[in-house]
């Protein structure tokens, strides 16, 4: 990897979870991406970005319409960068930060330059990182906006009602705005309150509920894996299998085979028991 590796991307609607061995800056010029770093989540928009230190597990799902800068920074390259030590301090821990309009306009302009002149990618990456550093050096390190839940909010965040709605729409795209509307909250307020209540982001919660239902279908039905994937909201069997393996540490095909083996063993054991009982009579 180069000292700075920048790309303009459209983050799709597929749920992705991973970690990598480099620092990463995520900065959008338009659209929305739901992103969580080790359980702490926020929405990446034109007014909100994030810093992901190397090795930190994170998951995300875009809206398929965003335009997003993804800047990868190998930790080993920081000493060679201008303000390398200061930039390294920015990545001491995960951080979500506000993006003022002037920085968003700069990012949009640089994205156009990157798309027109990809050969300038190193210079564009350095300029964007420098602008971000100058913006953040005067900002407080912590921008957490923890949501204290009073009794009224706890009542509005009715998990039973949310679960029922999610289960009814597993085959559909489920967005935070829809869940927030059920609770009469703004999307941002709902996101923060939901994380405070459950310890999970709405995105991770919905994904886990999809996979829990999928596990039941994998082990207790004869439906094909592709059909199960569509029933619980995955676009294809491949993305479903990868998510299933990440969650349960076994592929759905292996889980089904093991389930059938156990069922066969149980049936054989019962048959032997019944035969012995018949002999004794």
């Amino acid at each position: 990897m180069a000292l700075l590796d920048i790309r303009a991307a459209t983050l799709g609607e597929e749920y992705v979870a991973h970690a990598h061995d480099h620092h990463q800056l995520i900065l959008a010029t338009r659209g929305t991406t739901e992103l969580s770093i080790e359980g702490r989540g926020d929405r990446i928009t034109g007014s909100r970005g994030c810093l992901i230190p190397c090795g930190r597990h994170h998951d995300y799902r875009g809206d398929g319409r965003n335009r997003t800068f993804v800047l990868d920074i190998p930790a080993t390259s920081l000493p060679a960068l201008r303000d390398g030590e200061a930039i390294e301090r920015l990545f001491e821990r995960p951080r979500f930060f506000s993006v003022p309009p002037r920085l968003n306009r700069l990012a949009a302009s640089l994205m156009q330059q990157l798309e027109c002149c990809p050969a300038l990618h190193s210079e564009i990456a350095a300029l964007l990182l420098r602008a971000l550093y100058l913006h953040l050096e005067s900002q407080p390190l912590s921008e957490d906006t923890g949501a204290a839940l009073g009794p009224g909010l706890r009542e509005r965040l009715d998990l039973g009602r949310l679960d029922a709605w999610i289960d009814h729409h597993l085959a559909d795209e489920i967005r935070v705005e829809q869940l927030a509307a059920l609770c009469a909250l703004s999307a941002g307020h709902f996101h923060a309150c939901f994380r405070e209540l459950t310890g999970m982001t709405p995105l991770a919660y919905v994904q886990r509920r999809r996979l829990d239902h999928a596990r039941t279908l994998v082990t207790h039905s004869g439906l094909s894996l592709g059909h199960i994937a569509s029933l619980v909201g995955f676009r294809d069997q491949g993305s479903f299998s990868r998510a299933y393996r990440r969650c349960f540490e076994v592929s759905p095909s292996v889980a089904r085979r093991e389930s059938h083996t156990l069922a066969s063993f149980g049936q054989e054991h019962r048959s032997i028991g019944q035969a012995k009982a018949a002999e004794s009579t």
Side-chain angles (χ1 to χ4, degrees):
M1 184 182 292
L3 290 181
L4 295 173
D5 183 18
I6 194 169
R7 59 192 180 278
T10 296
L11 303 180
E13 298 176 9
E14 179 182 354
Y15 177 87
V16 177
H18 60 201
H20 36 61
D21 59 359
H22 52 268
H23 301 312
Q24 193 169 73
L25 161 67
I26 307 293
L27 193 66
T29 58
R30 70 170 187 264
T32 302
T33 295
E34 301 288 339
L35 189 145
S36 173
I37 310 171
E38 297 183 342
R40 182 192 169 204
D42 210 326
R43 309 175 80 221
I44 306 303
T45 66
S47 60
R48 196 77 172 155
C50 77
L51 299 168
I52 306 173
C54 64
R56 297 299 189 105
H57 186 272
H58 54 282
D59 54 74
Y60 65 88
R61 185 179 69 184
D63 60 5
R65 301 180 296 277
N66 60 84
R67 289 300 288 159
T68 305
F69 265 132
V70 181
L71 175 57
D72 296 334
I73 310 168
T76 55
S77 73
L78 288 173
L81 296 177
R82 180 182 180 185
D83 302 315
E85 292 185 4
I87 292 171
E88 185 171 15
R89 288 197 298 272
L90 292 180
F91 288 96
E92 286 179 345
R93 66 172 181 82
R95 182 179 184 184
F96 293 93
F97 57 87
S98 297
V99 178
R102 64 182 183 279
L103 182 56
N104 178 261
R105 290 193 295 269
L106 174 62
S109 175
L110 291 176
M111 186 170 289
Q112 291 181 346
Q113 293 298 320
L114 180 63
E115 292 170 341
C116 293
C117 307
L120 297 176
H121 110 292
S122 294
E123 291 80 1
I124 291 170
L127 180 56
L128 183 64
L129 187 58
R130 173 66 176 169
L132 178 66
Y133 162 65
L134 292 175
H135 165 61
L136 292 180
E137 70 171 348
S138 61
Q139 302 296 312
L141 185 59
S142 175
E143 292 190 12
D144 294 54
T145 57
L149 292 179
L153 274 177
R154 288 186 180 276
E155 290 177 3
R156 289 164 71 178
L157 286 174
D158 184 344
L159 284 182
R161 182 186 179 201
L162 289 170
D163 287 347
W165 192 91
I166 291 169
D167 294 348
H168 186 68
H169 293 85
L170 284 177
D172 307 323
E173 177 187 2
I174 297 176
R175 307 207 67 81
V176 172
E177 290 84 354
Q178 296 169 299
L179 301 177
L182 294 173
C183 302
L185 294 171
S186 69
H189 195 191
F190 171 81
H191 194 291
C193 293
F194 189 91
R195 188 179 70 243
E196 180 76 12
L197 179 64
T198 66
M200 303 174 68
T201 65
L203 172 64
Y205 187 89
V206 169
Q207 184 77 350
R208 182 58 194 243
R209 201 151 187 91
R210 292 187 193 278
L211 291 169
D212 283 342
H213 280 273
R215 181 162 59 174
T216 299
L217 293 173
V218 165
T219 56
H220 294 94
S221 82
L223 298 174
S224 71
L225 296 182
H227 191 187
I228 292 173
S230 66
L231 288 176
V232 298
F234 286 86
R235 290 184 300 174
D236 55 70
Q237 185 177 331
S239 60
F240 165 65
S241 295
R242 289 190 295 273
Y244 193 101
R245 186 183 298 109
R246 282 194 301 265
C247 185
F248 301 122
E249 298 184 347
V250 63
S251 69
S253 57
V254 170
R256 168 164 283 179
R257 189 160 58 246
E258 291 176 347
S259 174
H260 288 175
T261 299
L262 288 173
S264 299
F265 177 80
Q267 180 61 41
E268 182 180 350
H269 185 71
R270 286 192 295 273
S271 299
I272 293 173
Q274 290 169 357
K276 288 184 176 179
E279 289 176 0
S280 65
T281 58

